[in-house]
Amino acid sequence: MTTLRKIDPRKLQQKMQAGEVILIDTRSPREFAHEHIEGAQLVPLGSLDRHDFPDSRRQTAVFTCRSGARTT
């Protein structure tokens, strides 16, 4: 089982710039259009499938949403 851990925004930015992580936003398309972190990929929670990211196998997945409920 994988443990979910929080990440500091500055650390996330560094890891994104280094190509170490893939940032996945699990909100709805409407929410994402209104506001999102630059560089995040929209993958609504209901359609999340690990097979959607074959080129990202060496990166750590970081999930984000508005409140943290969907991410958990």
Side-chain angles (χ1 to χ4, degrees):
M1 178 178 197
T2 302
T3 303
L4 296 177
R5 294 176 283 163
K6 292 184 179 186
I7 186 169
D8 176 85
R10 286 189 184 113
K11 184 81 165 176
L12 174 60
Q13 182 180 28
Q14 291 170 349
K15 289 185 171 286
M16 286 178 68
Q17 290 173 344
E20 297 173 11
V21 301
I22 179 171
L23 181 60
I24 302 168
D25 193 316
T26 60
R27 295 179 291 175
S28 71
R30 183 175 172 209
E31 291 173 299
F32 186 83
H34 177 67
E35 179 178 58
H36 63 272
I37 298 171
E38 186 176 334
Q41 293 185 31
L42 174 63
V43 184
L45 186 59
S47 66
L48 187 61
D49 186 323
R50 67 183 177 94
H51 299 294
D52 291 338
F53 306 98
D55 298 332
S56 304
R57 297 224 182 258
R58 293 196 169 119
Q59 295 172 300
T60 300
V62 177
F63 297 91
T64 186
C65 64
R66 186 181 59 84
S67 67
R70 282 172 276 207
T71 299
T72 301

